[in-house]
Amino acid sequence: MNIAALLAKAALTFPARPAISWGTQLWSDYGALHRAAGSIGRALREDYGLAPGDRVAIAMPNRPEFLEAQFGIWYAGMVAVLVNSKLHPSEFDYIFENSGARVCFTAPELAPELEKLTERSCTLETVISAGSEPYKALLAPAEMACESRAPEDPAWLFYTSGTTGRPKGAMLSHRNLLVMTLSYFADIDPISQEDGVLHAAPLSHASGFYGLPHIAKAANNIIPKSGGFDPEEIFDLLPRYSGVTLFGAPTMIVRLINHPAIASADLTNLKMIYYGGAPMLVADVEKALDIFGSRLVQIYGQGEAPMTISYLPRHFYADRDHPRFAARIASAGIARTDVQIRIVDENDTPLPTGEAGEILVRGDVVMLGYWNNPEATASALKDGWLHTGDVGSIDEEGFLTLMDRSKDMIISGGTNIYPREIEEVLLRHDGVHEVSVVGRPHADWGEEVVAFVVRAEGSDVGAEALEQLCLDNIARFKRPKEYFFEDALPKNNYGKIMKRDLRDRLAAEADQAGGN
């Protein structure tokens, strides 16, 4: 079993169908993508001396060569290490060293910095820039067929974002990726060769995962010329392609629905928007439904169980008259076809319906473990269950509601407080653009609730109004004890608010006050 066989089979039946479009231009059809992948795979084996199982990195923004290199790595039976192109050089260096990658594919703008790493790296030997002469040499017409791999062989090393320390490489097998792909067809959407997926989010992450089912069905992979997310570019591309699916983090969806061009955008060819990476606030979901109709699908997953834990399909969004509509769209949906979900306490004892605890997951989509990290693997995988580190509850109908990451939960006076609940309330105020609620160390209570707020443009909302809003909607003990009004909130490269940075700031201020 080699996940690259998805491309080989698509090319056999649909060689002339568009495989990659770059902006408004066709880059390659499926026959050409198959040949490019086979040529790159052969060159990695014969010209660079790599063997099946070796790790090869890709660190580049979204561009057509990303997919050529990715499948070339798999054709050769090697393991793809797909790295966020916005990382710091020291973070690249760590991932290359940790994975043992000897070759890295990159983009011209990143090549000079990455080539410096070969001078001090113990493993990285070669950096190949997309479009360069060495890259063009890889495409010489001397192809190879897919190398045979066992279902349990690693195919993709997915490095976590490192919000709690050094990133860990989740080992995703060929079986994991195939089950993820089949689950997409079962739960999310049946794809045809007439459809397309618009990769405005990183191919190294969620958009790349769900590129696989589209390649399996010979659909078009549309890569914006910008290499990323630009609302005006997306609105320009949508009318040019049929059956377009788009992935976005909630922050991206919010940018789309609030962009001035949305009023005149032609959405006829937009088939579906699926979102994930963080819960979307109910008010934003309702506004998106008003604009896009029932084209929304929510997915909840992790790199350790890629894109596949729970989902909220389109028909739940369409049923706006359902008595539990608000609760449903606030949830993360129901368990995917191929997984089991369990809610447990700190002793891994299953909890009754409705009680909050850690979310555990079991199924063939769950990773093999963490690369060269047996301690972290043993902590995450116990008795066949993945410990997600997320806190949630399951109601009587099977809907999973996410509270927070366990590390983000605030414990004040022995009581668990979930920041998301407070954030939902604060964001009801028209004067609030963004908010993040975290715990601040407190000598008597352990932690106390504080809120970091970004005002909406033109707003002068203050703490008094937000205090009253909380008093009107949630228990007094949950309300923030202090508000910090900020110009912006710290975010990582995927647009997620970095609560750890806010907690670190509060801890540093507490230490300074104590020192004084």
Side-chain angles (χ1 to χ4, degrees), residues 379-443:
S379 176
L381 298 175
K382 301 175 185 177
D383 299 322
W385 291 89
L386 169 67
H387 286 61
T388 67
D390 288 335
V391 176
S393 64
I394 296 178
D395 68 17
E396 65 279 2
E397 293 183 328
F399 285 81
L400 172 68
T401 295
L402 300 177
M403 311 303 191
D404 280 287
R405 292 287 293 172
S406 57
K407 67 179 184 298
D408 292 333
M409 184 175 67
I410 300 167
I411 304 177
S412 182
T415 300
N416 294 344
I417 299 173
Y418 300 106
R420 186 190 172 200
E421 178 185 9
I422 305 165
E423 291 162 355
E424 286 270 10
V425 170
L426 292 173
L427 280 159
R428 294 178 191 174
H429 197 291
D430 292 340
V432 175
H433 172 61
E434 285 187 318
V435 63
S436 183
V437 171
V438 299
R440 177 170 61 186
H442 189 279

Side-chain angles (χ1 to χ4, degrees), residues 300-494:
Y300 162 56
Q302 297 183 330
E304 293 86 345
M307 311 298 286
T308 315
I309 293 177
S310 67
Y311 75 118
L312 194 64
R314 279 171 285 189
H315 60 84
F316 286 127
Y317 289 98
D319 190 6
R320 301 183 79 164
D321 294 328
H322 192 280
R324 298 191 67 246
F325 173 74
R328 286 180 167 186
I329 64 170
S331 78
I334 58 178
R336 297 288 293 273
T337 299
D338 57 308
V339 301
Q340 294 175 275
I341 300 176
R342 173 182 287 179
I343 307 296
V344 301
D345 63 15
E346 63 275 10
N347 298 314
D348 288 354
T349 301
L351 290 170
T353 298
E355 289 196 22
E358 185 179 10
I359 301 169
L360 272 56
V361 180
R362 180 167 67 182
D364 279 348
V365 77
V366 171
M367 67 171 181
L368 301 172
Y370 293 113
W371 179 260
N372 286 341
N373 197 335
E375 295 83 7
T377 298
S379 176
L381 298 175
K382 301 175 185 177
D383 299 322
W385 291 89
L386 169 67
H387 286 61
T388 67
D390 288 335
V391 176
S393 64
I394 296 178
D395 68 17
E396 65 279 2
E397 293 183 328
F399 285 81
L400 172 68
T401 295
L402 300 177
M403 311 303 191
D404 280 287
R405 292 287 293 172
S406 57
K407 67 179 184 298
D408 292 333
M409 184 175 67
I410 300 167
I411 304 177
S412 182
T415 300
N416 294 344
I417 299 173
Y418 300 106
R420 186 190 172 200
E421 178 185 9
I422 305 165
E423 291 162 355
E424 286 270 10
V425 170
L426 292 173
L427 280 159
R428 294 178 191 174
H429 197 291
D430 292 340
V432 175
H433 172 61
E434 285 187 318
V435 63
S436 183
V437 171
V438 299
R440 177 170 61 186
H442 189 279
D444 297 324
W445 299 100
E447 289 181 294
E448 63 180 357
V449 179
V450 299
F452 290 83
V453 178
V454 177
R455 293 183 175 101
E457 186 175 355
S459 169
D460 61 354
V461 64
E464 184 177 345
L466 298 181
E467 171 78 354
Q468 189 60 52
L469 183 64
C470 287
L471 290 173
D472 290 343
N473 289 279
I474 56 176
R476 293 183 66 89
F477 72 88
K478 297 179 182 180
R479 75 193 194 285
K481 304 305 184 287
E482 188 170 359
Y483 293 89
F484 297 89
F485 292 92
E486 309 287 320
D487 293 331
L489 298 177
K491 296 176 182 175
N492 68 9
N493 292 318
Y494 298 115

